[in-house]
Amino acid sequence: MTDEVKRERLQKVLARAGYGSRRLCEEMVIEGRVTIDGEVAIIGDRVDPSAVRIEVDGALAPVAPGLVHYLLNKPAGVVTTASDPEGRPTVLDLVPDTPRVFPVGRLDLMTEGLIVITNDGQLAYDLTHPSKGVEKEYLAQVHGDPTPASIRALREGVALEDGMTAPAKVARVSEGVLRITIHEGRNRQVRRMCDAIGHPVERLVRTRIGGVGDATLKPGQYRELTVKEITRIATAVAAGPGDDQGHIDLAPVSK
Ligand code: URA
């Protein structure tokens, strides 16, 4: 195929990725919201979507053909690896086999909740790289009912064997249930933080990744992320640690 054949009208590429009708996408171009490799795009631009970096409102647009992005609600007892030597069910058993995808980051065997599964290497990098600081929110049902002083300790940082934790957002939702938002991604971090204040986790559910949550997705169910959600994650990345990355209210953990 010649380069000219591979190049398509920009608004067609954006519309196919889910940004709205071609007309709407044209408007986004006219408003100067779209860049191609850092240059503001103009009407009439043609692109090879697998060869250029297209941004909309400063966030990388997921326009390369064949990209898929799933949001899965992982049930407890499912492992977050591609295959398990012990033959336990994996998160990949819960999404389509093709195209080949991989989980972004990991949740412990007994942790439930939201995980992104994709073949988009750039998004995976953005979501997991510590320097990007994407917020992840958890509901933790803990043993006992932490005092305000313990909650303050979690907020300010607690000593773990691999160093102090960064400041976290922590709220008491109800007796023994904490909403904990962190932007580091250390191994078993929330469980170890709760251990450190003497309130071990009894149940842990991830409820939000960047600005993306979904309280309607049942355990074991997945859906495609919308382009808006992918953009929201990319924008959370651009905002960096410490910025408010949105918050949704969810039903408390039920027993
Ligand atoms: N923190 C944990 O302790 N476990 C997880 O699975 C995720 C975050």
PDB file of all heavy atoms in Angstrom, residues 72-85:
ATOM      1  N   LEU A  72     -12.494  -4.148  33.220  1.00  0.00           N
ATOM      2  CA  LEU A  72     -13.019  -5.387  33.814  1.00  0.00           C
ATOM      3  C   LEU A  72     -13.220  -5.182  35.306  1.00  0.00           C
ATOM      4  O   LEU A  72     -12.393  -4.555  35.969  1.00  0.00           O
ATOM      5  CB  LEU A  72     -12.014  -6.526  33.582  1.00  0.00           C
ATOM      6  CG  LEU A  72     -12.302  -7.848  34.323  1.00  0.00           C
ATOM      7  CD1 LEU A  72     -13.483  -8.583  33.685  1.00  0.00           C
ATOM      8  CD2 LEU A  72     -11.069  -8.752  34.345  1.00  0.00           C
ATOM      9  N   ASN A  73     -14.302  -5.735  35.824  1.00  0.00           N
ATOM     10  CA  ASN A  73     -14.472  -5.801  37.280  1.00  0.00           C
ATOM     11  C   ASN A  73     -13.995  -7.192  37.723  1.00  0.00           C
ATOM     12  O   ASN A  73     -14.704  -8.184  37.576  1.00  0.00           O
ATOM     13  CB  ASN A  73     -15.937  -5.568  37.656  1.00  0.00           C
ATOM     14  CG  ASN A  73     -16.125  -5.520  39.163  1.00  0.00           C
ATOM     15  OD1 ASN A  73     -15.201  -5.807  39.927  1.00  0.00           O
ATOM     16  ND2 ASN A  73     -17.329  -5.158  39.590  1.00  0.00           N
ATOM     17  N   LYS A  74     -12.763  -7.227  38.211  1.00  0.00           N
ATOM     18  CA  LYS A  74     -12.149  -8.522  38.577  1.00  0.00           C
ATOM     19  C   LYS A  74     -12.789  -9.072  39.854  1.00  0.00           C
ATOM     20  O   LYS A  74     -12.830  -8.388  40.870  1.00  0.00           O
ATOM     21  CB  LYS A  74     -10.640  -8.329  38.798  1.00  0.00           C
ATOM     22  CG  LYS A  74      -9.927  -9.589  39.267  1.00  0.00           C
ATOM     23  CD  LYS A  74      -8.469  -9.316  39.564  1.00  0.00           C
ATOM     24  CE  LYS A  74      -7.965  -9.694  40.910  1.00  0.00           C
ATOM     25  NZ  LYS A  74      -8.498 -10.828  41.610  1.00  0.00           N
ATOM     26  N   PRO A  75     -13.239 -10.318  39.796  1.00  0.00           N
ATOM     27  CA  PRO A  75     -13.745 -10.926  41.030  1.00  0.00           C
ATOM     28  C   PRO A  75     -12.587 -11.421  41.895  1.00  0.00           C
ATOM     29  O   PRO A  75     -11.475 -11.622  41.396  1.00  0.00           O
ATOM     30  CB  PRO A  75     -14.554 -12.135  40.522  1.00  0.00           C
ATOM     31  CG  PRO A  75     -14.535 -12.074  39.026  1.00  0.00           C
ATOM     32  CD  PRO A  75     -13.400 -11.190  38.628  1.00  0.00           C
ATOM     33  N   ALA A  76     -12.835 -11.647  43.168  1.00  0.00           N
ATOM     34  CA  ALA A  76     -11.832 -12.259  44.042  1.00  0.00           C
ATOM     35  C   ALA A  76     -11.528 -13.662  43.528  1.00  0.00           C
ATOM     36  O   ALA A  76     -12.394 -14.322  42.925  1.00  0.00           O
ATOM     37  CB  ALA A  76     -12.371 -12.332  45.471  1.00  0.00           C
ATOM     38  N   GLY A  77     -10.292 -14.136  43.700  1.00  0.00           N
ATOM     39  CA  GLY A  77      -9.932 -15.500  43.321  1.00  0.00           C
ATOM     40  C   GLY A  77      -9.477 -15.647  41.881  1.00  0.00           C
ATOM     41  O   GLY A  77      -9.213 -16.766  41.425  1.00  0.00           O
ATOM     42  N   VAL A  78      -9.379 -14.530  41.159  1.00  0.00           N
ATOM     43  CA  VAL A  78      -8.921 -14.547  39.761  1.00  0.00           C
ATOM     44  C   VAL A  78      -7.543 -13.887  39.725  1.00  0.00           C
ATOM     45  O   VAL A  78      -7.349 -12.833  40.330  1.00  0.00           O
ATOM     46  CB  VAL A  78      -9.934 -13.774  38.873  1.00  0.00           C
ATOM     47  CG1 VAL A  78      -9.413 -13.583  37.468  1.00  0.00           C
ATOM     48  CG2 VAL A  78     -11.277 -14.495  38.860  1.00  0.00           C
ATOM     49  N   VAL A  79      -6.584 -14.518  39.037  1.00  0.00           N
ATOM     50  CA  VAL A  79      -5.234 -13.950  39.027  1.00  0.00           C
ATOM     51  C   VAL A  79      -5.066 -12.957  37.883  1.00  0.00           C
ATOM     52  O   VAL A  79      -5.693 -13.077  36.837  1.00  0.00           O
ATOM     53  CB  VAL A  79      -4.118 -15.034  38.944  1.00  0.00           C
ATOM     54  CG1 VAL A  79      -4.029 -15.839  40.220  1.00  0.00           C
ATOM     55  CG2 VAL A  79      -4.304 -15.942  37.749  1.00  0.00           C
ATOM     56  N   THR A  80      -4.159 -11.982  38.119  1.00  0.00           N
ATOM     57  CA  THR A  80      -3.934 -10.933  37.114  1.00  0.00           C
ATOM     58  C   THR A  80      -2.714 -11.251  36.264  1.00  0.00           C
ATOM     59  O   THR A  80      -1.867 -10.398  36.059  1.00  0.00           O
ATOM     60  CB  THR A  80      -3.731  -9.565  37.809  1.00  0.00           C
ATOM     61  OG1 THR A  80      -4.721  -9.399  38.801  1.00  0.00           O
ATOM     62  CG2 THR A  80      -3.849  -8.416  36.831  1.00  0.00           C
ATOM     63  N   THR A  81      -2.591 -12.471  35.801  1.00  0.00           N
ATOM     64  CA  THR A  81      -1.473 -12.785  34.895  1.00  0.00           C
ATOM     65  C   THR A  81      -2.064 -13.389  33.633  1.00  0.00           C
ATOM     66  O   THR A  81      -3.249 -13.753  33.607  1.00  0.00           O
ATOM     67  CB  THR A  81      -0.511 -13.816  35.518  1.00  0.00           C
ATOM     68  OG1 THR A  81      -1.290 -14.865  36.072  1.00  0.00           O
ATOM     69  CG2 THR A  81       0.364 -13.204  36.570  1.00  0.00           C
ATOM     70  N   ALA A  82      -1.224 -13.515  32.608  1.00  0.00           N
ATOM     71  CA  ALA A  82      -1.714 -14.053  31.341  1.00  0.00           C
ATOM     72  C   ALA A  82      -2.028 -15.540  31.484  1.00  0.00           C
ATOM     73  O   ALA A  82      -3.013 -16.042  30.948  1.00  0.00           O
ATOM     74  CB  ALA A  82      -0.691 -13.807  30.243  1.00  0.00           C
ATOM     75  N   SER A  83      -1.179 -16.266  32.215  1.00  0.00           N
ATOM     76  CA  SER A  83      -1.488 -17.671  32.458  1.00  0.00           C
ATOM     77  C   SER A  83      -0.962 -18.031  33.838  1.00  0.00           C
ATOM     78  O   SER A  83      -0.004 -17.422  34.322  1.00  0.00           O
ATOM     79  CB  SER A  83      -0.841 -18.557  31.395  1.00  0.00           C
ATOM     80  OG  SER A  83       0.547 -18.580  31.600  1.00  0.00           O
ATOM     81  N   ASP A  84      -1.615 -18.979  34.475  1.00  0.00           N
ATOM     82  CA  ASP A  84      -1.257 -19.309  35.850  1.00  0.00           C
ATOM     83  C   ASP A  84      -0.776 -20.751  35.923  1.00  0.00           C
ATOM     84  O   ASP A  84      -1.501 -21.672  35.533  1.00  0.00           O
ATOM     85  CB  ASP A  84      -2.489 -19.107  36.745  1.00  0.00           C
ATOM     86  CG  ASP A  84      -2.147 -19.384  38.199  1.00  0.00           C
ATOM     87  OD1 ASP A  84      -1.134 -18.827  38.666  1.00  0.00           O
ATOM     88  OD2 ASP A  84      -2.860 -20.163  38.845  1.00  0.00           O
ATOM     89  N   PRO A  85       0.456 -20.964  36.419  1.00  0.00           N
ATOM     90  CA  PRO A  85       0.982 -22.328  36.502  1.00  0.00           C
ATOM     91  C   PRO A  85       0.088 -23.238  37.344  1.00  0.00           C
ATOM     92  O   PRO A  85       0.035 -24.449  37.125  1.00  0.00           O
ATOM     93  CB  PRO A  85       2.354 -22.157  37.166  1.00  0.00           C
ATOM     94  CG  PRO A  85       2.599 -20.701  37.313  1.00  0.00           C
ATOM     95  CD  PRO A  85       1.373 -19.947  36.924  1.00  0.00           C
TER      96      PRO A  85
END
